């Protein structure tokens, strides 16, 4: 069954860019008659806060969006990641690395040829130079073919790519719908999925919301979307950003608005972007 997910990192409240991704993923799932799931990607403990998880979940509900299953919270799954990582350490393509970030900037890592027993856990992956995006067609990437990808950081934090592909598989995600800021990371995840023998999902990258040259993010002080607009207007703004037909939707409540937007959802109208955010 078609399944997608919205996977925010709770480093702040929802900003306009995250609302766009949320609405795009939700409508796509509904329009496909499939499932929409939520996953909280809160493994980067210094950046993520439980209070933000709480406000994000409240904000999603306030938009009239309900997931079709329990919310997966990554920080509650550490044992599962650790046991999978343990299994991976026996493979010849994984290795421990004790290089600091500063060192890696000035020389290549040679830890693969050593037999370290601790440090960051990495896997050597061979990346393909292209993949298909459901809206954008075949994308060519200029990536180095071989890349050492971190599975677990030196500070003990489980890395985003690893947790993401493991959980997409666990949640039965058939199509990853997310922002175009991750277009160039997708080949890394595809390689990791293949290396781990997981099922490959399809990919749909939504247009990125920007302010000038910067993507909206907590780091560059994007405003909390709910401080700017009430829920139904926020939905309308996200729909316009996604190029969808909003005629006659003004004044409807969130549930009615989403139902009508689902009927009209047209993937071919999704702009490729990036596009200037309204706020
Ligand atoms: N947690 C990631 C973010 O907030 C999204 C990851 C994904 O959708 O794969 O940017």
């Amino acid at each position: 069954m078609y399944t997608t997910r919205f996977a925010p990192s709770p480093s702040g409240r929802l900003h306009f860019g995250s609302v766009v991704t949320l609405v795009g993923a939700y409508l796509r799932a509904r329009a496909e008659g499939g499932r929409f799931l939520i996953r909280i990607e809160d493994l980067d403990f210094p950046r993520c806060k439980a209070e933000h998880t709480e406000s994000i979940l409240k904000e999603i509900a306030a938009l009239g969006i309900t997931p079709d299953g329990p919310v997966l919270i990554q920080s509650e799954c550490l044992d599962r990641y650790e046991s999978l990582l343990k299994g991976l350490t026996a493979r010849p393509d994984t290795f421990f690395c004790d290089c600091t970030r500063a060192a890696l900037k000035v020389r290549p890592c040679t830890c693969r040829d050593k037999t370290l027993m601790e440090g960051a856990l990495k896997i050597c992956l061979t990346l393909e130079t292209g993949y298909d995006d459901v809206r954008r067609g075949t994308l060519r990437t200029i990536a180095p073919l071989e890349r050492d990808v971190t599975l677990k950081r030196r500070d003990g934090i489980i890395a985003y790519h690893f947790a993401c592909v493991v959980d997409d598989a666990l949640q039965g995600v058939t199509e990853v719908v997310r922002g175009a800021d991750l277009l160039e990371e997708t080949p890394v995840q595809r390689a990791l999925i293949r290396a781990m023998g997981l099922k490959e999902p399809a990919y749909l990258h939504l247009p990125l919301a920007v302010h000038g040259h910067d993507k909206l993010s907590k780091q560059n002080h994007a405003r909390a979307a709910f401080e700017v607009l009430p829920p139904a207007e926020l939905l309308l703004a996200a729909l316009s950003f996604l190029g969808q037909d909003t005629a006659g939707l003004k004044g409807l409540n969130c549930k009615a608005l989403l139902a009508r937007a689902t009927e009209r959802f047209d993937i071919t109208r999704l702009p490729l972007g990036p596009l200037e955010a309204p706020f």
Side-chain angles (χ1 to χ4, degrees):
M1 180 181 214
Y2 179 98
T3 302
T4 194
R5 66 351 179 235
F6 174 59
S9 302
S11 57
R13 295 176 60 189
L14 293 178
H15 54 67
F16 184 72
S18 27
V19 173
V20 164
T21 303
L22 165 67
V23 171
Y26 176 80
L27 291 180
R28 172 79 172 149
R30 285 286 166 274
E32 291 296 301
R35 292 192 308 154
F36 169 78
L37 300 174
I38 294 173
R39 176 166 83 231
I40 299 293
E41 297 200 329
D42 58 349
L43 293 176
D44 193 348
F45 299 111
R47 283 183 57 231
C48 298
K49 296 221 160 42
E51 72 203 59
H52 297 314
T53 297
E54 219 174 285
S55 57
I56 287 174
L57 293 176
K58 273 192 198 142
E59 289 170 348
I60 294 173
L63 290 170
I65 292 180
T66 335
D68 302 311
V71 173
L72 189 156
I73 300 190
Q74 290 189 324
S75 59
E76 294 173 0
C77 307
L78 294 177
D79 289 350
R80 190 158 49 79
Y81 305 125
E82 291 292 354
S83 80
L84 283 168
L85 286 171
K86 211 172 212 176
L88 289 174
T89 55
R91 293 169 53 128
D93 52 355
T94 61
F95 60 96
F96 286 107
C97 162
D98 65 358
C99 298
T100 59
R101 244 190 247 180
L104 286 175
K105 278 192 188 139
V106 291
R107 55 153 181 82
C109 168
T110 54
C111 296
R112 244 197 119 170
D113 307 323
K114 306 175 193 162
T115 36
L116 299 172
M117 298 305 284
E118 54 183 23
L121 181 64
K122 294 187 175 177
I123 186 167
C124 178
L125 295 174
T126 305
L127 271 51
E128 289 175 340
T129 52
Y131 67 95
D132 290 331
D133 176 278
V134 176
R135 166 75 179 97
R136 292 158 199 258
T138 302
L139 299 169
R140 296 269 152 226
T141 47
I142 347 161
L145 275 187
E146 280 223 328
R147 200 184 301 175
D148 295 337
V149 173
T150 303
L151 302 172
K152 185 178 176 179
R153 291 171 14 185
R154 254 159 53 100
D155 59 8
I157 287 180
I158 311 284
Y160 156 66
H161 286 312
F162 172 71
C164 180
V165 303
V166 163
D167 286 340
D168 280 338
L170 182 89
Q171 293 187 289
V173 170
T174 59
E175 184 177 274
V176 171
V177 181
R178 62 184 173 200
D181 51 332
L182 290 163
L183 271 174
E184 304 217 355
E185 299 302 320
T186 295
V188 176
Q189 293 192 2
R190 284 171 44 85
L192 187 53
I193 286 168
R194 274 199 313 278
M196 292 181 66
L198 302 172
K199 210 157 175 253
E200 290 185 36
Y203 292 91
L204 169 62
H205 290 91
L206 299 172
L208 193 60
V210 294
H211 280 155
H213 292 297
D214 296 326
K215 76 165 185 162
L216 264 52
S217 71
K218 179 93 191 331
Q219 287 82 335
N220 51 44
H221 312 292
R223 296 178 68 186
F226 276 76
E227 276 172 12
V228 183
L229 289 176
E233 281 179 44
L234 206 46
L235 284 178
L236 273 178
L239 287 171
S240 312
F241 188 90
L242 290 167
Q244 303 300 302
D245 175 11
T246 57
L249 300 186
K250 213 171 161 49
L252 296 181
N253 67 29
C254 288
K255 289 267 185 213
L257 211 151
L258 286 169
R260 296 279 291 278
T262 298
E263 286 161 18
R264 313 170 169 184
F265 185 67
D266 182 354
I267 192 176
T268 65
R269 292 179 67 141
L270 292 175
L272 303 182
L275 294 174
E276 192 64 25
F279 58 85

